Amino acid sequence: MKKTQCLFFLICAVMTSMGCAGDMEKADALFDKGQYQKALQIYLKPELQKNPSVQTRIGWIYGHATALLDEKKSIEWFQKAADQGYPPGQYNLASSYENGDGIEKDYEKALFWYRKASNQNLPAAYNSLGNMYADGRGIKKDSAKAVELYRKASDLGSSTGMCSLAFMQTFGEGTKKDYTEARKTLDLCLKTDANEDCCISRMADLYRYGWGVAKDHAKANAYQRQAAALGSGIAMFSLGVAYDYGNGVKKDPQTALEWYLKGAEAGNARAMYRLYEIYQYGKLGQPVDKARAKEWLAKAEPAMKAQNVTRNAIMDQFRLAMED
């Protein structure tokens, strides 16, 4: 009798496990299709919601799906996954603390959880931790440490890490300025992920300014169009600059304005600031419109702060465009 009972419970356990696996596959497929409400209904089943991978996805849904947005719940689920030692859960919790999403901004806790995730070799955690060292957020600025972390992310195949590393190599931050190495890093990035808009845009900059390659505005614009098609706000802004000053294309104020607007809509701070200037001073054939200028400046200032963009940096870019 006892053997029969044991066999029965074993069969039940196997059947339950198979059922859970089937539910997970179904929920994951719905999640990947963007059908978050249906996926959430399955993820929240008692037999699934103790899984840290599921907890992380639930947290993501509550943090990003517009119709289900509940940032407090998002944090709670990321915390559950992080407490189980699950790297993506730790990473998402760190990101929430870094950006103040659903919780008070806390760089110390962000650093703590990024380190936890990076200790398990999560590439995204290496890159984000590198960003904090590069910008001096919550910790003393250390560009050399940032390069070390970007390189670790890059070595693990992270195209984002490669793009970050290429930036440091291009401008000599934390490492020797070396356009040839930057080009090699970007080539590797685009072999790893041909649609990495950050690397596409940085490659465009090399050709735009002749950094380690022959200056070629037409090639730069081709790269920027590719990045813009992938949703890159900085690429859209750069195309606006090209049409604004006639770099590799015929000068076209209307097209420049259109690209600036697209860049601003994509969240690019430089594009927002340029729109402020356009309406403040009546540039690109637009009439002076102080009210609209004020609106764009109000959007640009917090975006510039968040993106670590200064007015001088924007002016430098326009100065280089004018010199061409």
Side-chain angles (χ1 to χ4, degrees):
M1 182 69 177
K2 286 184 179 179
K3 287 185 179 180
T4 304
Q5 266 188 326
C6 288
L7 181 60
F8 172 75
F9 286 123
L10 178 61
I11 293 172
C12 286
V14 170
M15 293 296 289
T16 300
S17 177
M18 290 174 63
C20 287
D23 282 342
M24 277 279 288
E25 288 181 7
K26 184 178 179 181
D28 288 347
L30 290 167
F31 181 94
D32 292 340
K33 292 177 182 177
Q35 297 180 29
Y36 301 123
Q37 179 70 67
K38 292 181 179 179
L40 185 63
Q41 289 174 353
I42 299 173
Y43 285 142
L44 287 174
K45 287 185 175 182
E47 62 270 24
L48 291 183
Q49 60 177 262
K50 291 182 180 179
N51 183 312
S53 172
V54 170
Q55 292 167 346
T56 301
R57 289 206 163 195
I58 293 173
W60 190 95
I61 290 172
Y62 280 127
H64 295 84
T66 305
L68 300 164
L69 200 63
D70 188 330
E71 291 184 326
K72 185 176 180 181
K73 282 186 178 180
S74 176
I75 296 299
E76 290 172 358
W77 285 102
F78 288 149
Q79 186 73 62
K80 289 179 181 182
D83 288 342
Q84 291 195 64
Y86 186 59
Q90 294 169 336
Y91 172 81
N92 280 282
L93 182 59
S95 180
S96 298
Y97 275 116
E98 181 186 2
N99 299 304
D101 295 332
I103 201 164
E104 187 177 349
K105 189 177 289 189
D106 189 325
Y107 290 147
E108 187 176 340
K109 288 182 179 178
L111 286 164
F112 174 83
W113 288 109
Y114 278 141
R115 287 191 178 110
K116 285 279 190 181
S118 65
N119 286 341
Q120 297 186 69
N121 284 331
L122 186 71
Y126 279 128
N127 191 71
S128 292
L129 192 55
N131 290 341
M132 296 194 78
Y133 275 101
D135 297 336
R137 273 176 290 131
I139 198 165
K140 184 179 178 181
K141 183 173 181 177
D142 188 337
S143 297
K145 181 66 175 178
V147 168
E148 177 190 326
L149 291 162
Y150 292 149
R151 201 177 294 280
K152 285 182 178 180
S154 178
D155 289 344
L156 289 167
S158 167
S159 57
T160 304
M162 293 173 199
C163 192
S164 299
L165 179 60
F167 174 86
M168 305 300 267
Q169 292 167 330
T170 300
F171 295 100
E173 295 284 340
T175 188
K176 184 179 76 171
K177 182 185 288 189
D178 192 328
Y179 296 140
T180 300
E181 285 301 307
R183 172 66 188 272
K184 287 179 182 178
T185 301
L186 292 172
D187 280 336
L188 178 60
C189 176
L190 294 177
K191 285 179 183 177
T192 302
D193 182 357
N195 292 323
E196 176 52 74
D197 62 315
C198 175
C199 289
I200 295 169
S201 191
R202 294 212 186 286
M203 187 72 86
D205 286 341
L206 298 186
Y207 283 100
R208 175 81 65 203
Y209 304 114
W211 291 336
V213 295
K215 186 181 287 188
D216 188 332
H217 284 303
K219 199 162 189 175
N221 290 337
Y223 273 116
Q224 295 290 20
R225 287 183 189 281
Q226 185 181 351
L230 294 165
S232 170
I234 186 62
M236 296 170 190
F237 167 75
S238 295
L239 284 168
V241 175
Y243 280 101
D244 200 339
Y245 291 94
N247 297 143
V249 291
K250 184 179 178 181
K251 187 179 287 192
D252 187 332
Q254 185 57 42
T255 302
L257 179 63
E258 289 170 4
W259 278 115
Y260 288 140
L261 285 166
K262 287 179 181 179
E265 288 168 4
N268 183 261
R270 295 170 186 257
M272 294 176 193
Y273 189 83
R274 184 55 173 164
L275 288 168
Y276 152 70
E277 289 188 324
I278 288 168
Y279 293 112
Q280 179 72 12
Y281 303 110
K283 295 177 179 288
L284 297 183
Q286 301 302 303
V288 171
D289 188 331
K290 300 289 187 180
R292 187 174 289 185
K294 186 177 180 180
E295 289 175 4
W296 279 115
L297 185 61
K299 293 178 181 179
E301 287 179 334
M304 288 168 68
K305 185 176 181 181
Q307 295 169 31
N308 199 26
V309 173
T310 65
R311 182 178 180 279
N312 286 340
I314 298 173
M315 294 302 101
D316 285 344
Q317 186 166 355
F318 283 112
R319 178 180 54 77
L320 288 171
M322 285 189 287
E323 289 174 356
D324 282 334

